[in-house]
Amino acid sequence: MENKKYVYLFNEGNASMKNLLGGKGANLAEMTNLGIPVPAGFTISTEACIKYYEDGKVISSYIIDQIYASLKGIEEITGKKFGSVENPLLVSVRSGARVSMPGMMDTILNLGLNDDTVKGLAKLTGNERFAYDSYRRFIQMFSDVVKGIEKRKFEDILEDTKNAKGVEFDKDLDSSDLINIIKKFKELYRDEIGKDFPQEPEQQLIQSVTAVFDSWENPRAVVYRRLNDISGKWGTAVNVQSMVFGNMGETSGTGVAFTRNPATGEKSIFGEYLINAQGEDVVAGIRTPEPITKLKEDLPECYSEFMDIAQKLENHYKDMQDMEFTIEQGTLYFLQTRNGKRTAQSALKIAVDMVEEGLITKEEAILKVEPRQLDTLLHPNFHSEELKKATVIAKGLPASPGAACGKIYFTAEDAKRHHDEGEKVILVRLETSPEDIEGMAASEGILTIRGGMTSHAAVVARGMGICCVAGCGGLIIDESTKSLRSLNKVYKEGDYISLDGSTGNVYGESIKTVSPEISGYFEIFMEWADNIRYLKVRTNADTPRDAKQAIEFGAEGIGLCRTEHMFFDEDRISEVREMIVSKTEEQRRKALSKLLPRQKGDFIGIYEAMEDKPVTIRFLDPPLHEFLPTETEDIKNLAQDMGISFQELKDTIDSLHEFNPMMGHRGCRLTVSYPEIAEMQTRAIIEAAIDVKKRKGYNIVPEIMIPLVGEIKELKYVKDIVVKVADEIIQKENVDLKYKVGTMIEIPRAAITADEIAKEAEFFSFGTNDLTQMTFGFSRDDAGKFLNDYYEKKVYEFDPFEKLDQIGVGKLVEMSVELGKKTRPDIHLGICGEHGGDPSSVEFFHNVGLDYVSCSPFRVPVARLAAAQAQVKHPRSSLK
Ligand code: PEP
Ligand code: MG
């Protein structure tokens, strides 16, 4: 008999126990202790869920005993009894992970009803219709959520009954109709499951708890976790709470509300409710709810109590709250509160306002905005001229801001597939459900016909930062022909539409989008972040245009200029190709002489854009497969340019074929073979710097970065060339120009011998793309093909190319930092792999003592905020 505690009554927990009780459970406990009216209940801990999986998907008997004991606790508080006919206790069962995962599992309401207790409920409430309606809802929910019987089958029975009776709405069914429906529901259950619908409330409860635990590993939860950085190891808690009823007449109701506007951040209550309804009716978007302010007219006392508590909760949690409430015959209950999900605009406004209101500090404000969300602010808006000419075909709710244009698809699978094929897609659904999550994530925008501002589509899209127009009843979907009908036109699958998630407008055509302008709250907030953060943020930029864009986003320098990318353009690639396929030094020097002025011109543009900011330029690192021509036409043209025959060039290209080009003749290996490449690049870098310095007076200190070094002698060989050429030019020009030579640490051997490497390198920049590739031993180009199997089989939870593998690759980074500093205490340290824009990786780089991160221009604000958050969580005051 284990005596560990797995089940907690609400009055036994508090808000700090989120990891154990899940977010919902911890907040229900906190509200209970604050004296807020919360229906009695208990939470089965996340540890119980973890144990369930450890024990091979079995809930151990001592956990079951604790559940029963807590049930007794609720019975004592409520005076009701589980399974009693006279005064039945009914409960809801809901999942609640550490971090909220909307729609991971549906709620089960009215649990405890059976053929006997339903009669008790009818007698007790004096409302037979209500009791039988509750029972039929319970059978339907239990069958769907716990047993996976399709909802549709139950709805068909409901529909048939209404049709037979000639009525339109559920409310027109009386108790004898409902008794009939229940009979049919139970028959359906028996046909599907092969057993009778469970009558013992304890059995109903344990089966429901098991279903919640199982839901933690359902595919949509796994996908949601991967998209939101949530660990699969955390498990979910289960909340069991005594029922209160919002569907007991005109003085009852249920709703959801936010203390501030989740779309704009405006400081006024925002929410919706339905009179005489249960929670599922609001969320499902089946009936159109009333705005919360109307409650003031319907039930003024409840409204003012609600407003007082809402304010109390916001002050207590020092954050915007998202609350669920139910009013049962004039008595108000809170069923949930949590920090509300919000758009990036809203998050920034709320954070800034709350500091100005004196509710929180700047440091606390910094932690309130999810770095990835900033991305959404940087997303395009519609081109204003094109927008003027566009026709609005319908208007829905502005559920998640932004502008989106794409081809319409009507299922999540279709949207995802076409997205994977490179199309921009818009997912059009009657209403979304959690199964749609991958399709939603793949879409530019989401359009739903039903549902309010708190519907699944709205909440999830806002969280993802995807533009969404919800509840657009002016359009009709015809699923059989996969088409969307407006007043005067039919749009077929693959046709373009555009969505404005800030106004709710839907346009029946493609509208060009443009980059947004950043101002207002963003500026104020980011300035706070910049004042707090320790890490510098640079950008990966290869052109003056990207560099300028990155500066607008707050970049403090260039951490990686991939010089080979300067030749990706159609009209330039032939010059690099010529250099690559040269067979003699003479040929190569000739090709290089064509590259020199191009490179010099590009560097001048970049230095001018960056002014005095640091610029790291990396020597050519062209993986051969990305650069060699494969098309006959391209080979013909190049052969002509080079004055050689087609066959000769074709043979050379064939001879250059590599089995694994990612581990091939690239990076510094090219320069070891052909030192003239380093000569040319050094010349371009130094001459451009001298030119700009002389003309503009900027203090330019070029940082020359040698890629793919694994051995100190490789670095020394290339560095000697750089120093010789650079010093000669500087001497000849008679200018005072400093420059630095450093290396990327992207090969495990370089990391392991970083103390050696640091003898020659003035700086390290971690190339975590290659470092990940080579540490794992799988190709960055091919891993995508099998990583899905790894996620499905839970071998990996995340893509290590997106989020740094801190345990393995991170260990190499940490080791290099220590070794590098041992040799050269003032060595400058940065990272320029894709992980430089990933928030959790940025925190890691902060913690291991790097000086800067470098990422693509659009991720610069994300990195700035992530760096500030890292500093708030783990302050660094000086070099580690
Ligand atoms: C890296 O390997 O992390 C890197 C930045 O270089 P590239 O992606 O160009 O190989
Ligand atoms: Mg690399």
Side-chain angles (χ1 to χ4, degrees):
M1 172 77 190
E2 201 179 308
N3 51 20
K4 183 169 171 162
K5 192 168 171 64
Y6 285 99
V7 184
Y8 295 76
L9 282 166
F10 289 164
N11 59 13
E12 294 176 318
N14 63 55
S16 71
M17 294 163 74
K18 275 203 168 72
N19 293 358
L20 186 66
L21 302 181
K24 191 178 290 169
N27 286 335
L28 281 166
E30 187 80 2
M31 284 200 286
T32 303
N33 294 330
L34 284 171
I36 289 167
V38 171
F42 59 83
T43 304
I44 305 164
S45 73
T46 53
E47 286 179 352
C49 176
I50 295 163
K51 180 147 182 53
Y52 169 77
Y53 282 103
E54 280 171 2
D55 291 349
K57 306 229 284 182
V58 182
I59 306 181
S60 55
S61 59
Y62 48 85
I63 295 182
I64 293 181
D65 289 345
Q66 290 186 28
I67 294 173
Y68 290 160
S70 299
L71 210 49
K72 288 253 161 338
I74 312 188
E75 288 177 345
E76 273 163 32
I77 298 168
T78 58
K80 298 181 181 179
K81 223 170 149 22
F82 211 40
S84 147
V85 178
E86 288 74 41
N87 192 9
L89 170 67
L90 305 183
V91 296
S92 65
V93 177
R94 309 163 96 188
S95 65
R98 205 190 274 199
V99 182
S100 104
M101 296 170 61
M104 182 177 86
M105 199 204 86
D106 301 314
T107 301
I108 299 170
L109 302 177
N110 310 335
L111 188 145
L113 281 175
N114 59 24
D115 295 350
D116 298 326
T117 54
V118 69
K119 290 179 193 141
L121 183 66
K123 210 156 130 205
L124 205 70
T125 57
N127 189 340
E128 201 175 47
R129 190 198 174 279
F130 159 74
Y132 286 101
D133 190 43
S134 301
Y135 190 23
R136 75 99 193 144
R137 283 172 191 254
F138 168 54
I139 298 174
Q140 201 169 338
M141 278 190 254
F142 184 93
S143 305
D144 166 31
V145 174
V146 179
K147 297 294 177 188
I149 307 174
E150 274 180 81
K151 268 190 227 154
R152 189 184 48 81
K153 296 188 172 160
F154 292 94
E155 265 148 30
D156 286 349
I157 295 175
L158 207 58
E159 248 356 87
D160 290 348
T161 314
K162 282 191 282 188
N163 290 342
K165 200 176 176 185
V167 297
E168 197 182 341
F169 301 108
D170 293 5
K171 68 175 172 48
D172 300 324
L173 297 172
D174 61 24
S175 40
S176 69
D177 298 324
L178 290 163
I179 289 170
N180 209 6
I181 287 170
I182 288 167
K183 196 164 149 263
K184 289 192 177 142
F185 276 13
K186 287 201 302 191
E187 278 164 17
L188 171 63
Y189 183 94
R190 200 177 36 244
D191 287 349
E192 293 277 332
I193 305 297
K195 281 189 195 160
D196 284 332
F197 185 79
Q199 290 291 313
E200 296 77 32
E202 278 85 3
Q203 225 191 73
Q204 297 172 350
L205 178 62
I206 298 306
Q207 288 189 28
S208 300
V209 172
T210 308
V212 176
F213 286 162
D214 287 339
S215 74
W216 179 249
E217 288 298 359
N218 75 25
R220 62 183 195 245
V222 172
V223 170
Y224 188 90
R225 288 203 289 271
R226 203 168 66 239
L227 292 173
N228 290 281
D229 255 13
I230 297 169
S231 168
K233 298 193 191 93
W234 293 349
T236 181
V238 187
N239 297 293
V240 178
Q241 189 170 24
S242 66
M243 285 295 301
V244 284
F245 294 95
N247 52 345
M248 287 184 72
E250 296 306 305
T251 56
S252 301
T254 187
V256 283
F258 296 82
T259 52
R260 303 188 187 213
N261 188 310
T264 64
E266 194 194 330
K267 195 185 174 190
S268 63
I269 197 91
F270 176 88
E272 300 165 324
Y273 73 102
L274 280 171
I275 285 290
N276 200 7
Q278 264 195 336
E280 46 164 357
D281 301 330
V282 181
V283 182
I286 292 160
R287 276 165 59 191
T288 303
E290 301 285 355
I292 189 82
T293 40
K294 194 166 172 286
L295 189 63
K296 201 175 183 172
E297 294 163 29
D298 286 346
L299 297 165
E301 276 170 29
C302 288
Y303 179 76
S304 77
E305 188 188 356
F306 172 80
M307 290 299 281
D308 287 348
I309 294 175
Q311 192 58 54
K312 183 172 173 181
L313 285 172
E314 182 177 287
N315 291 346
H316 181 73
Y317 285 102
K318 297 182 174 191
D319 205 341
M320 184 262 266
Q321 295 299 294
D322 164 2
M323 303 152 298
E324 284 181 22
F325 64 95
T326 286
I327 300 166
E328 185 184 82
Q329 297 184 321
T331 307
L332 172 71
Y333 295 95
F334 275 69
L335 302 184
Q336 172 165 325
T337 192
R338 60 182 169 193
N339 294 342
K341 288 202 184 300
R342 61 204 82 173
T343 62
Q345 286 94 325
S346 165
L348 290 173
K349 177 164 164 54
I350 290 172
V352 172
D353 284 352
M354 283 188 168
V355 170
E356 281 165 7
E357 289 160 24
L359 195 60
I360 54 172
T361 63
K362 286 181 185 166
E363 280 75 13
E364 285 168 330
I366 290 301
L367 296 179
K368 290 208 186 296
V369 180
E370 168 62 39
R372 268 180 224 278
Q373 263 200 316
L374 294 180
D375 244 5
T376 62
L377 291 177
L378 316 174
H379 285 156
N381 297 310
F382 287 129
H383 186 278
S384 57
E385 288 310 308
E386 284 211 23
L387 188 63
K388 275 186 206 151
K389 288 184 236 138
T391 326
V392 177
I393 56 164
K395 194 171 171 72
L397 299 170
S400 181
C405 165
K407 294 185 177 177
I408 54 172
Y409 292 99
F410 295 87
T411 67
E413 297 75 55
D414 285 350
K416 166 100 173 46
R417 186 159 45 82
H418 285 273
H419 163 83
D420 290 348
E421 285 165 13
E423 286 181 28
K424 288 194 185 313
V425 305
I426 296 219
L427 177 64
V428 182
R429 305 280 288 152
L430 209 50
E431 58 201 332
T432 63
S433 71
E435 284 93 336
D436 293 336
I437 197 143
E438 275 195 291
M440 295 171 79
S443 302
E444 304 296 307
I446 298 157
L447 171 66
T448 68
I449 306 308
R450 289 192 196 151
M453 292 292 275
T454 49
S455 63
H456 178 266
V459 172
V460 173
R462 272 203 294 272
M464 286 178 173
I466 294 172
C467 161
C468 174
V469 173
C472 191
L475 294 172
I476 296 165
I477 291 185
D478 184 343
E479 288 185 336
S480 61
T481 59
K482 292 199 171 172
S483 59
L484 181 68
R485 195 147 39 87
S486 72
L487 268 183
N488 38 28
K489 197 173 162 188
V490 174
Y491 298 85
K492 297 228 172 56
E493 187 181 58
D495 285 350
Y496 273 102
I497 65 165
S498 300
L499 303 179
D500 187 338
S502 311
T503 61
N505 284 343
V506 180
Y507 301 89
E509 61 216 82
S510 150
I511 309 175
K512 205 161 98 194
T513 50
V514 287
S515 301
E517 279 178 22
I518 295 171
S519 61
Y521 290 99
F522 181 85
E523 297 247 307
I524 300 171
F525 182 82
M526 293 309 289
E527 198 184 310
W528 294 346
D530 289 343
N531 289 336
I532 287 169
R533 74 185 151 88
Y534 181 92
L535 277 180
K536 297 265 182 238
V537 177
R538 295 194 187 184
T539 192
N540 296 354
D542 316 316
T543 63
R545 200 198 58 213
D546 284 358
K548 280 192 198 118
Q549 174 77 80
I551 290 176
E552 275 172 34
F553 289 155
E556 297 166 290
I558 289 182
L560 174 64
C561 171
R562 291 177 164 104
T563 51
E564 68 282 359
H565 284 197
M566 295 173 153
F567 294 93
F568 268 154
D569 279 1
E570 194 85 60
D571 59 332
R572 284 179 165 206
I573 195 153
S574 62
E575 293 162 6
V576 173
R577 286 179 171 163
E578 195 174 325
M579 191 262 308
I580 292 173
V581 299
S582 296
K583 285 218 285 220
T584 63
E585 185 179 329
E586 192 194 341
Q587 268 180 354
R588 198 168 305 104
R589 282 196 183 275
K590 190 169 144 232
L592 286 166
S593 69
K594 289 188 202 166
L595 294 178
L596 176 65
R598 295 275 209 188
Q599 290 244 284
K600 191 172 155 185
D602 285 342
F603 295 147
I604 287 173
I606 284 182
Y607 291 140
E608 285 181 348
M610 298 308 287
E611 302 183 352
D612 279 333
K613 298 181 184 68
V615 176
T616 305
I617 295 172
R618 183 180 74 181
F619 273 3
L620 280 171
D621 182 10
L624 287 185
H625 65 306
E626 283 180 23
F627 283 86
L628 284 174
T630 49
E631 304 289 321
T632 310
E633 201 55 30
D634 290 344
I635 300 174
K636 259 193 207 150
N637 290 341
L638 187 60
Q640 204 170 18
D641 285 354
M642 293 177 71
I644 57 176
S645 73
F646 173 84
Q647 198 51 47
E648 189 182 351
L649 181 57
K650 177 98 182 40
D651 291 346
T652 310
I653 291 168
D654 290 345
S655 75
L656 287 173
H657 170 79
E658 291 180 328
F659 286 102
N660 189 344
M662 270 299 181
M663 293 196 177
H665 201 194
R666 56 181 278 230
C668 66
R669 296 163 197 166
L670 270 182
T671 326
V672 169
S673 301
Y674 312 124
E676 52 277 15
I677 299 176
E679 284 173 25
M680 181 282 285
Q681 290 210 285
T682 306
R683 183 167 294 282
I685 292 169
I686 299 296
E687 286 183 357
I690 292 172
D691 176 272
V692 177
K693 189 177 168 116
K694 278 188 180 163
R695 279 191 298 110
K696 304 270 182 179
Y698 301 143
N699 179 28
I700 297 169
V701 183
E703 297 173 5
I704 298 174
M705 181 152 82
I706 322 277
L708 230 68
V709 164
E711 152 64 46
I712 174 78
K713 289 191 201 126
E714 277 177 313
L715 174 60
K716 175 139 178 37
Y717 179 82
V718 184
K719 183 181 169 186
D720 285 349
I721 299 168
V722 173
V723 170
K724 182 166 173 290
V725 174
D727 288 355
E728 260 174 33
I729 300 169
I730 292 167
Q731 221 168 12
K732 194 168 134 236
E733 296 284 331
N734 196 21
V735 285
D736 176 22
L737 182 87
K738 303 265 180 300
Y739 63 93
K740 291 183 186 163
V741 183
T743 185
M744 296 191 67
I745 301 286
E746 54 184 341
I747 289 198
R749 193 177 186 284
I752 293 163
T753 60
D755 48 348
E756 286 287 306
I757 306 273
K759 287 180 189 156
E760 294 295 337
E762 290 172 88
F763 63 87
F764 287 167
S765 177
F766 290 94
T768 47
N769 304 335
D770 275 314
L771 195 58
T772 298
Q773 163 172 261
M774 301 204 206
T775 303
F776 278 88
F778 47 52
S779 146
R780 14 192 305 202
D781 289 340
D782 298 319
K785 293 182 195 143
F786 56 81
L787 278 179
N788 269 336
D789 300 336
Y790 274 61
Y791 306 142
E792 260 165 41
K793 301 195 173 146
K794 319 244 158 27
V795 180
Y796 295 156
E797 283 189 274
F798 306 105
D799 180 348
F801 289 106
E802 229 175 272
K803 184 171 145 74
L804 189 81
D805 157 46
Q806 298 184 7
I807 296 170
V809 179
K811 194 182 249 176
L812 286 175
V813 173
E814 211 171 346
M815 180 196 289
S816 316
V817 170
E818 267 169 40
L819 291 174
K821 281 186 177 170
K822 215 187 296 164
T823 303
R824 193 187 285 263
D826 65 345
I827 190 162
H828 198 230
L829 300 167
I831 171 267
C832 61
E834 284 308 299
H835 306 90
D838 170 67
S840 68
S841 310
V842 170
E843 183 174 331
F844 176 84
F845 298 131
H846 168 94
N847 289 341
V848 298
L850 300 197
D851 298 303
Y852 70 88
V853 295
S854 187
C855 55
S856 61
F858 274 84
R859 294 171 85 191
V860 165
V862 175
R864 284 160 69 198
L865 177 54
Q869 295 190 339
Q871 176 69 7
V872 173
K873 290 190 213 159
H874 314 279
R876 262 173 80 182
S877 54
S878 61
L879 285 177
K880 215 182 142 180

